[in-house]
Amino acid sequence: EPHHDDDDTDGDLKNKDDDNSNLRDDGVPDEIWEELEESKGREREEADRLSLIQDELEEIVRQEHARNEEIKRLKEEMTRQMEELARLAAEEENTKKREEEARRILEEIKRKEELA
């Protein structure tokens, strides 16, 4: 019988003439290894896809937080402006009252002058 260089003498090499030539060195069929590698590839792709989705969601959360902070700032600014408007309205009302009081006093002075 001829001697083959790839005889399985140390357990690491496959014997190509063997009936189990579709087995790897560890005895697992090649198609199982191929399915495992394909599965690992799909898992890596899915992990990459999920990582991208997570990055997108984190960016959305960051943007929403920034928007909420801007809304809060705008509400505070609106409150300050409303308070300023109320102060100005009260000041205007006081000015009108003082103007009316001044007119009344002037009219009374004129009447007194007319009587004198």
Side-chain angles (χ1 to χ4, degrees):
E1 179 168 338
H3 178 26
H4 297 285
D5 288 340
D6 58 352
D7 280 346
D8 192 4
T9 55
D10 59 0
D12 290 334
L13 297 174
K14 291 195 290 185
N15 182 344
K16 298 220 185 310
D17 296 334
D18 200 345
D19 285 343
N20 294 326
S21 64
N22 66 337
L23 297 181
R24 296 246 172 142
D25 297 341
D26 54 10
V28 177
D30 287 343
E31 58 190 46
I32 299 292
W33 278 110
E34 289 169 7
E35 289 177 21
L36 183 61
E37 289 301 318
E38 289 174 11
S39 176
K40 285 181 182 178
R42 287 191 300 270
E43 286 178 14
R44 277 192 296 275
E45 289 172 5
E46 184 66 11
D48 291 346
R49 192 178 73 78
L50 290 174
S51 179
L52 287 174
I53 290 171
Q54 181 178 0
D55 292 347
E56 291 171 5
L57 288 174
E58 287 173 354
E59 178 61 18
I60 289 169
V61 167
R62 187 195 64 72
Q63 290 175 0
E64 284 299 311
H65 179 72
R67 268 193 281 262
N68 288 340
E69 288 298 313
E70 180 66 5
I71 289 169
K72 180 181 171 185
R73 187 191 67 73
L74 290 172
K75 283 181 178 178
E76 290 170 353
E77 179 63 25
M78 187 176 70
T79 298
R80 281 192 291 277
Q81 289 180 359
M82 295 293 283
E83 289 170 351
E84 179 67 9
L85 279 174
R87 187 189 66 74
L88 290 173
E91 192 174 291
E92 181 181 23
E93 187 63 29
N94 287 338
T95 300
K96 284 180 182 177
K97 285 179 182 176
R98 286 195 306 270
E99 287 173 351
E100 289 172 11
E101 181 67 17
R103 272 193 222 104
R104 190 186 60 74
I105 292 171
L106 284 175
E107 288 173 6
E108 196 160 315
I109 290 173
K110 282 182 185 177
R111 263 186 276 137
K112 286 182 181 178
E113 286 176 349
E114 289 172 359
L115 292 175

